[in-house]
Amino acid sequence: MHSTQSQLLINGEWRDATGGRTMPVINPATEETIAEVAAATRDDVEAVVAAARGALAGPWGTMPARERGRLLWKLGARLMERADEFARLETLHNGKPITESRQIEIPAAAECLQYYAGWADKVQGETVPVKGSQLVYTLREPLGVVAAIVPWNFPLLLATWKVAPALATGNTVILKPASQTPLTALALGALALEVGFPPGVLNVVTGAGATVGQALVEHPGIDKIAFTGDTSTGKGIMRSAADTLKHLTLELGGKSPNIVFADADLDAALRGATMGIFYGKGEVCAAGSRLLVDASIRDEFIEKVAARARKMVPGDPLDPKTRLGAISSKAQLERVLNYVEIAKREGAQLVAGGARADIGTGKGFFMQPTVFASVTPEMTIAREEIFGPVLATIEFGDVDEAIARANQSMYGLAAAVWTRDVRKAHYVASKLKAGTVWVNTYNVYDAAAPFGGYKQSGFGRELGEHALDYYTQTKTVWVELG
Ligand code: NAD
């Protein structure tokens, strides 16, 4: 066992779940239980909602915006001071390589907190010229209590994408991490207390989505659900949230096309194609899981991608040299392997990987990086999100066919285009139905750049100035001057 927070954080206090139930947290690289965290009940949800509502009426509600910003800045700074510890925790419960946790995810989480620290005192209303004799102005007010429900692939980063704009704009937050990966959310709650956030402003409750998550979605004391997760879960949340007419932002699944034209810098495109699918073990909502390749370079390019995949060997996530870690859970590994079987049955050609891997310990949920050739748009692996290191490669004949195939999906989270032709790059970017389009790069993010989905990848935007709109409501004040 590693010493870490394992209780619920409600109103600034650490508590066991009512009834004392816990749930195990498994290290997917060793299959060991590394912690037992509280499994919250509906009673705990009542208590946490009361705490978050109470905090709105407490010092937080009257705290100057600049002071809120200072607290968020401090939280980001403290997170970076403790980055090694947070990175280790993230890798232990998720299985991602320590290099990804330490170099990318934790710094990006800290940056997100500090980016929104800067916004706290810059969210302004306006004065509105009207035809009558009144002074009309608007106030941007917080929504109230926000429940942030996050998945297991980027546990801390996706939490900060919600917590930071919510707190910057004066809401209080109930953070519910995924059951598989609750440790860094709990550690973030502890840091928030340390830096001086008042009790009840950031609460963390752990437990099953179907009970705790569902109870949060149904609770009339919550004003907004900020959710990242599976599209089907998101649809259920939208239905349940209708009863209390909650504000919603949904960041859901994807099946993002990565389009390589023959005139691209093919070495760069090759790196982009492999990193686009194998970064984060492919457990990335925006993973470039459909590689669309110009027919004129198809065989050569796909063989190069497959050769790189064969060279990528999964390893111990805690080893700084490891570039491919463990799949997050046994269930997820089984799901990914099942897709490999479906792909083979449907006639796709396996050109790399395709099986469970062993790193020499006989333990852990490791998977070989997998590439399929001869995939057609109708096949299951071209349509459904696998959320693992499995690449479907599809050919296209010309620009119009590339665009049509790219858009042939119920999802629209991200897309990329690789070409040296500037006109083609912008033309294709304008035609793609996706919330993010990368040109000659993949998987880049910034706290300042909005991110979110088209179509069934969800709605609302996270990050950037855009996110502030989803955590505030506008009040129009009319003052009679006549
Ligand atoms: P999931 O939908 O199963 O779970 C996400 C969260 O929702 C967890 O905290 C879970 O406990 C909770 N939950 C489950 N059922 C619930 C319910 N009925 N009510 C309320 N909460 C509930 O998703 P997952 O398997 O953890 O994550 C993988 C999925 O997330 C993938 O499909 C991926 O594409 C998607 N994802 C999307 C983005 C994005 O930004 N669009 C980012 C990361 C992951």
Side-chain angles (χ1 to χ4, degrees):
M1 292 272 179
H2 298 263
S3 73
T4 176
Q5 274 306 339
S6 57
Q7 293 171 293
L8 309 174
L9 177 57
I10 299 178
N11 212 21
E13 291 166 4
W14 295 100
R15 307 183 191 171
D16 287 335
T18 312
R21 276 195 47 231
T22 62
M23 55 185 191
V25 180
I26 312 282
N27 176 347
T30 62
E31 302 180 41
E32 284 164 2
T33 298
I34 49 172
E36 288 280 345
V37 299
T41 62
R42 281 196 176 249
D43 286 344
D44 299 316
V45 169
E46 286 302 327
V48 79
V49 173
R53 290 228 76 82
L56 283 172
W60 182 249
T62 51
M63 184 182 285
R66 195 157 300 162
E67 188 55 31
R68 289 201 305 264
R70 272 197 204 105
L71 283 175
L72 269 176
W73 185 270
K74 270 202 210 163
L75 185 59
R78 193 64 65 88
L79 176 58
M80 275 319 284
E81 285 165 25
R82 307 260 294 267
D84 288 342
E85 194 185 316
F86 271 79
R88 192 179 152 79
L89 269 187
E90 198 75 318
T91 285
L92 283 175
H93 64 182
N94 167 280
K96 67 177 68 192
I98 190 74
T99 309
E100 290 183 8
S101 301
R102 182 61 186 84
Q103 304 301 328
I104 297 173
E105 189 179 345
I106 307 301
E111 197 157 286
C112 180
L113 293 165
Q114 296 196 325
Y115 171 80
Y116 283 105
W119 270 116
D121 61 355
K122 296 169 195 70
V123 179
Q124 307 184 138
E126 58 207 335
T127 54
V128 186
V130 293
K131 67 178 185 295
S133 58
Q134 298 90 8
L135 163 67
V136 177
Y137 62 91
T138 60
L139 298 171
R140 305 267 306 269
E141 297 189 339
L143 297 174
V145 176
V146 173
I149 302 180
V150 297
W152 42 257
N153 57 337
F154 290 86
L156 184 71
L157 183 62
L158 294 177
T160 59
W161 284 15
K162 297 165 173 55
V163 168
L167 295 182
T169 47
N171 299 277
T172 58
V173 176
I174 300 168
L175 171 59
K176 201 216 77 70
S179 317
Q180 301 88 334
T181 54
L183 303 180
T184 42
L186 291 166
L188 183 73
L191 272 200
L193 283 186
E194 261 177 58
V195 303
F197 278 91
V201 171
L202 176 59
N203 307 277
V204 186
V205 288
T206 50
T211 51
V212 183
Q214 187 66 29
L216 291 169
V217 173
E218 289 170 7
H219 203 292
I222 292 176
D223 302 286
K224 174 188 169 133
I225 302 288
F227 172 77
T228 296
D230 202 65
T231 293
S232 61
T233 315
K235 289 178 184 177
I237 287 178
M238 194 167 169
R239 278 185 213 107
S240 303
D243 285 339
T244 46
L245 214 69
K246 285 187 177 55
H247 294 259
L248 270 186
T249 40
L250 299 175
E251 301 284 351
L252 308 174
K255 191 79 201 177
S256 300
N258 197 358
I259 309 169
V260 181
F261 287 100
D263 63 3
D265 171 344
L266 292 178
D267 290 336
L270 181 62
R271 286 192 297 277
T274 41
M275 185 268 284
I277 184 64
F278 299 132
Y279 180 82
K281 312 159 263 164
E283 294 165 348
V284 178
C285 49
S289 52
R290 284 187 295 149
L291 183 68
L292 272 53
V293 187
D294 207 314
S296 65
I297 55 163
R298 183 195 67 183
D299 291 344
E300 187 192 348
F301 193 78
I302 293 174
E303 179 41 40
K304 282 189 176 158
V305 173
R308 279 179 83 106
R310 284 183 217 112
K311 273 201 223 131
M312 266 186 111
V313 181
D316 174 3
L318 287 173
D319 182 339
K321 291 194 292 297
T322 295
R323 291 292 171 271
L324 195 70
I327 302 297
S328 296
S329 65
K330 183 158 184 271
Q332 188 62 16
L333 177 64
E334 283 165 1
R335 185 182 140 94
V336 175
L337 288 169
N338 186 40
Y339 273 112
V340 170
E341 289 314 308
I342 294 172
K344 288 198 254 180
R345 252 199 329 268
E346 292 182 0
Q349 184 197 349
L350 181 65
V351 291
R356 187 174 181 164
D358 184 351
I359 62 163
T361 57
K363 293 272 178 200
F365 312 126
F366 294 93
M367 170 86 193
Q368 296 173 340
T370 299
V371 181
F372 279 100
S374 307
V375 178
T376 60
E378 298 72 30
M379 287 183 187
T380 306
I381 59 159
R383 290 184 292 108
E384 295 187 13
E385 182 176 51
I386 299 175
F387 225 55
V390 179
L391 182 64
T393 61
I394 302 169
E395 68 169 32
F396 64 82
D398 59 17
V399 174
D400 289 335
E401 192 178 28
I403 294 166
R405 294 207 153 169
N407 287 337
Q408 194 176 345
S409 174
M410 70 175 210
Y411 295 114
L413 193 57
V417 191
W418 298 82
T419 175
R420 284 194 171 98
D421 179 337
V422 174
R423 194 202 68 85
K424 196 197 286 179
H426 289 290
Y427 175 73
V428 175
S430 76
K431 296 290 177 193
L432 291 171
K433 302 280 183 248
T436 291
V437 177
W438 289 296
V439 177
N440 295 335
T441 186
Y442 208 93
N443 258 342
V444 283
Y445 305 87
D446 191 284
F451 182 80
Y454 275 32
K455 300 194 272 185
Q456 293 197 30
S457 290
F459 52 76
R461 287 293 174 271
E462 299 200 288
L463 304 180
E465 187 175 357
H466 284 252
L468 300 168
D469 290 341
Y470 297 97
Y471 291 94
T472 52
Q473 50 196 344
T474 301
K475 179 182 282 172
T476 308
V477 182
W478 293 71
V479 184
E480 183 56 66
L481 300 178

